[in-house]
Amino acid sequence: MRALMRALMLAALLVALVAASSCSKRTPAGPLDAIHARGELRIATLNLPTCYYLGAQGTEGLEYELAGAYAARLGVRLTMYALANERALQQELATGRADIAAASLTNTPEWSRAGDAAEAYALIPQLVVYPRNGVRPRDTLQLESAHLAVRAGSAQERILQRLKSTMAPQLHWEETAPSSADPVEDVDSGEAQYAIVDAREFSFARHLYPDVLVGFALPEERPVQWLVRRDAPELLASVNAFFRDLRATGRLAQLLQGGSGDTRRFEYEESRVFQEHVAERLPRYRAWFEKAAGASGLDWRLLAAIGYQESKWDPRAQSDEGARGVMMLTADTAQALGLKDRTDAEQSIYAGARYLAQVREKIPERISEPDRTWFTVAAYNVGFGHLEDARIITQELGKDPDSWAEVRLRLPLLAQERWYSRARRGYARGWEPVQFVDRIQRYLRLLEWQPGESSPAVAPAAVSTAAHSPPPPAVPAAASARGAPGS
């Protein structure tokens, strides 16, 4: 009996040990669980205007906006970083260093070996473009005898290959190497008769090449999607659900529109002249813009955009009101800044940068970007006191005085007697700072979209954002206005 009891106890102990051992062998966490555990979503991308780039107010681009929204949905911070090309993205995804590759991508056999494709979140028309002084193409068959440029290995080339095998057997084209200039530039320079380009890509490129026009769209559109690391079904399902919800709420359509180059009205003549001045005038002054902006903590492109709006980068420019020089400073402002010769381009640029930095210091720090920059630019034009009057009116009307979108609607009220008679600084031509900011935004974007200008000279390796950062407490505009100096 004693032996039997001992055997039963040993058996029970063995069962307990086996159970404990099995419990200790937990199921390995999947990629989605790992993202939550580390509190970080890692997304690799490309440095392109259509995807991800460093603008004057920080990181911008459609893929960056989408990635930020997805990180917020997961409740984790976003780390997004740009690599050199698609092959580098594929390697990053295949090794698991990146959770997702997001760069206006289309699934291909090469991508299938690196990861799994999410559902397409958009279909991008493929445009045939031609020079303004050329013959407009109107159908695919017309391309068969044309000098056609397309980027080698691109989605556009794969579309042409399918067209050649199905409906245009005589179709042929010249490949532009991936590292070289955009095929649109070949059309602009006369090296190619036509080019095939994404509609989204062309929404940016047409501002840089205003003499290139759209002939027609090819019958096949290009799907764009995220690529998720291999063997991550939960992550893939989560990404698909994210885009379905984003589409259902209408937010996806807003992001697609906001992430294109068509958010502002295209002006052919303005863009053409601007591009001429970028090529002919900007090189003379760029180094001074960069040094002055760096010393003042500004983005040089913002400073250059203001200089272009003020004088078209002409040191001899003079206004009817007596402002002079590249930055069009008044005599009083020049004297206050210690500027001796307003027609000296270098002095004018440095003085303008100091003045812009001084104006920026007056804008409440609680105001987030990009609103703080646009308030700064508006105050540079109309004066800080008038800007504060408009913010007070905005607050009185029950709107947000820290939002440029709201204040820009109220600035023109300063020209109406029933409003300026109550304003501390009185009348102002309030529509002028609104137009001024609109133009600066346009020129800034054009400078950001120049080839090779999508990032600063020294760019961070990655951009991290907190997914859930609480907004700062609101402070009434009237309170800040009471201590503000008049303009």
Side-chain angles (χ1 to χ4, degrees), residues 32-43:
L32 186 57
D33 292 329
I35 291 169
H36 283 112
R38 66 176 180 254
E40 178 192 40
L41 174 67
R42 299 169 184 165
I43 297 186

Side-chain angles (χ1 to χ4, degrees), residues 366 388 391-392 395 401-402 475-482:
R366 69 174 182 275
E388 285 295 273
R391 293 182 62 227
I392 293 171
Q395 180 176 269
D402 291 349
V475 179
S480 63
R482 282 194 291 273

Side-chain angles (χ1 to χ4, degrees), residues 80-288:
M80 193 169 195
Y81 54 100
L83 298 177
N85 49 48
E86 285 196 22
R87 182 171 298 178
L89 289 182
Q90 291 164 1
Q91 181 68 16
E92 198 77 358
L93 198 64
T95 58
R97 287 190 292 266
D99 302 305
I100 294 170
S104 191
L105 302 171
T106 297
N107 191 25
T108 63
E110 292 77 15
W111 272 111
S112 296
R113 289 191 286 270
D116 296 319
E119 297 171 3
Y121 67 79
L123 294 172
I124 302 181
Q126 302 301 295
L127 306 179
V128 179
V129 299
Y130 70 104
R132 182 179 293 271
N133 59 0
V135 177
R136 177 181 178 179
R138 299 183 182 277
D139 58 57
T140 305
L141 295 178
Q142 193 175 344
L143 304 179
E144 288 187 314
S145 58
H147 183 187
L148 185 63
V150 65
R151 187 176 286 113
S154 64
Q156 290 73 40
E157 185 173 35
R158 289 190 290 272
I159 290 174
L160 288 180
Q161 289 169 348
R162 286 192 289 273
L163 287 174
K164 182 179 178 68
S165 65
T166 57
M167 59 180 298
Q170 303 303 316
L171 191 64
H172 63 277
W173 55 87
E174 286 194 12
E175 297 179 338
T176 300
S179 60
S180 68
D182 193 298
V184 179
E185 185 177 6
D186 291 342
V187 174
D188 186 66
S189 65
E191 294 182 15
Q193 189 176 358
Y194 305 130
I196 309 298
V197 62
D198 266 9
R200 182 166 297 279
E201 185 177 343
F202 188 67
S203 73
F204 293 89
R206 71 186 190 131
H207 295 275
L208 307 178
Y209 308 109
D211 282 314
V212 178
L213 307 178
V214 176
F216 69 98
L218 294 176
E220 181 179 342
E221 296 181 320
R222 181 174 76 88
V224 290
Q225 55 219 137
W226 283 3
L227 276 296
V228 176
R229 58 184 295 182
R230 185 68 63 79
D231 300 324
E234 297 88 355
L235 179 59
L236 182 62
S238 174
V239 166
N240 286 333
F242 163 71
F243 278 108
R244 285 195 294 268
D245 292 346
L246 208 62
R247 180 177 287 104
T249 61
R251 179 62 178 153
L252 179 58
Q254 294 174 352
L255 290 172
L256 289 171
Q257 175 59 32
S260 78
D262 287 329
T263 54
R264 295 172 187 84
R265 190 162 62 93
F266 176 72
E267 295 288 350
Y268 163 71
E269 186 62 24
E270 182 183 24
S271 289
R272 186 188 64 79
V273 173
F274 181 84
Q275 289 303 121
E276 289 179 357
H277 289 162
V278 165
E280 298 170 4
R281 296 184 180 181
L282 182 58
R284 305 175 203 166
Y285 311 117
R286 174 169 175 163
W288 292 333

